[in-house]
Amino acid sequence: MVENATAVNNPTDAELLASSAEDTEAFRAFFERHYRAVWSFLAWRFGDSEADDACAETFATAFKDRERYDDGIADARPWLLGIAVNHARHHARRERKRLGRLASTLSSAPAGPSVDLDPRGRLAAGLLALDERDREPLLLLALADLSYTQIGEALGIPEGTVRSRINRARRQLKEAIQE
């Protein structure tokens, strides 16, 4: 009986999504559980105001597609972040501009031995240079703290592909930062 009380007090994401058709508070609880993680992932990529829009789009899509969620998977965070990545692709042009501005800190720094270059400029330039297919898994690992398996679920690719893309992205970023 203690187990049932715990499940009622702390339902899984799958249970919240399943009951959200009849109970609007269920989706609210789902939203409140995951909003910060999704927003933080998007804010790093686009800035606060863009993240607000992309996060709203993500949860609107999740609400619309909630019946299609696999109720055998208790944690919906990879699914949500996969939706966020799809919305991020629509905002990719803005992201490239933002990374370009960060990367420009390298070229705008005055020359001289006493100047410390902003490592974010090199990181941004390196991220900008990555192929989108390699950048997405790396950002889901670094910013959303997803496991390789969860990244595969979010992007709809095998775990081995996730591992190889992250490995390639790390190698390329390391080279970009050391230049």
Side-chain angles (χ1 to χ4, degrees):
M1 249 192 216
V2 173
E3 256 182 66
N4 282 342
T6 303
V8 170
N9 293 331
N10 194 20
T12 67
D13 293 338
E15 292 167 339
L16 287 173
L17 287 170
S19 63
S20 68
E22 298 87 32
D23 179 11
T24 57
E25 288 303 310
F27 195 82
R28 178 188 301 257
F30 176 79
F31 172 85
E32 289 174 357
R33 182 180 289 175
H34 294 291
Y35 174 80
R36 190 76 188 144
V38 172
W39 186 87
S40 296
F41 173 73
L42 293 167
W44 188 92
R45 297 191 64 181
F46 304 117
D48 294 358
S49 63
E50 294 283 333
D52 291 340
D53 293 340
C55 196
E57 292 170 6
T58 297
F59 280 98
T61 300
F63 183 78
K64 181 179 63 102
D65 293 346
R66 68 189 184 279
E67 287 100 23
R68 296 187 346 203
Y69 183 74
D70 181 354
D71 62 356
I73 301 172
D75 181 12
R77 197 166 54 109
W79 176 70
L80 269 174
L81 288 165
I83 294 170
V85 164
N86 285 332
H87 285 292
R89 287 186 179 126
H90 298 315
H91 294 271
R93 185 173 176 191
R94 291 182 187 127
E95 178 185 36
R96 282 192 293 278
K97 283 178 145 178
R98 182 171 180 267
L99 288 173
R101 284 192 304 271
L102 285 171
S104 72
T105 61
L106 280 177
S107 61
S108 64
S114 64
V115 174
D116 290 326
L117 293 177
D118 182 358
R120 291 176 303 167
R122 289 182 187 212
L123 178 61
L127 285 169
L128 189 58
L130 290 176
D131 183 275
E132 183 178 321
R133 294 176 345 143
D134 294 337
R135 185 172 48 241
E136 296 296 348
L138 181 67
L139 292 177
L140 285 169
L141 178 70
L143 301 177
D145 198 30
L146 293 184
S147 68
Y148 290 106
T149 302
Q150 291 173 321
I151 294 167
E153 291 171 16
L155 299 177
I157 58 176
E159 185 178 335
T161 303
V162 169
R163 290 181 182 282
S164 65
R165 288 181 182 178
I166 289 173
N167 184 40
R168 182 173 40 247
R170 283 178 170 161
R171 220 177 29 251
Q172 290 172 351
L173 276 179
K174 183 178 177 184
E175 289 171 11
I177 290 170
Q178 291 178 345
E179 289 179 351

